[in-house]
Amino acid sequence: MLLNNNIDLYFMKQFMYLIKWNILFLLGGLIFISCNKNEEPKEISLKVANSQLVYQGEVSDKAGFNVQFINDTAKCVLRTVYIMPDDTLGYVKASVINNNLTINVITKPDDNPNWADISKLTKVHDVKFNLIGLRKGVYNLQLTVNNTTSSKSNFLIN
């Protein structure tokens, strides 16, 4: 009888030992999985400074986007015809998600009747602004001026 109790006790200890390690293994796996969730990329808003709207008149170059870095500030010039001569600059907003750079420009009152036909738009403006926090690199660029959007893939900013 004593022998049976010792054997039962031995198997019970082995069984508890296995259960303990299985539980620890499962808990470790759950912690690892919960820590390695693929989070959605976060949008990073860039600080826009010194924005101004400069009327250029009727010139042949109707569109463009140039960036020049000075220290950690990206000095940007956006040339567009999607702004009326009497408009004023409402705002410039910029953000980055991974390698996607989005720039939004809104003017007031943004009521051009000929948005669809670019050949009728002859008055050119430059929107000049500084982006603080933009890093050098290759971006998928999306420019929106008064709800008219254009895109450029693999746009190099250096």
Side-chain angles (χ1 to χ4, degrees), residues 55-132:
Y55 179 65
Q56 296 297 326
E58 293 190 29
V59 296
S60 61
D61 189 15
K62 291 184 175 186
F65 183 66
N66 296 312
V67 180
Q68 178 184 5
F69 268 93
I70 297 177
N71 297 326
D72 64 343
T73 301
K75 296 195 173 280
C76 304
V77 178
L78 171 63
R79 179 162 283 186
T80 183
V81 292
Y82 293 113
I83 299 173
M84 295 297 289
D86 295 329
D87 283 2
T88 58
L89 189 59
Y91 64 81
V92 177
K93 291 183 180 178
S95 64
V96 174
I97 301 176
N98 291 340
N99 66 332
N100 298 312
L101 172 61
T102 302
I103 298 174
N104 270 330
V105 177
I106 296 293
T107 60
K108 305 271 184 204
D110 103 14
D111 59 354
N112 190 329
N114 299 316
W115 281 151
D117 189 359
I118 194 169
S119 66
K120 293 181 181 177
L121 302 173
T122 58
K123 312 292 188 203
V124 176
H125 285 82
D126 283 349
V127 181
K128 297 182 178 184
F129 55 95
N130 296 340
L131 289 179
I132 300 166

Side-chain angles (χ1 to χ4, degrees), residues 31-40:
I31 290 170
F32 180 77
I33 289 171
S34 66
C35 290
N36 285 330
K37 286 184 180 176
N38 290 336
E39 293 182 17
E40 291 293 320

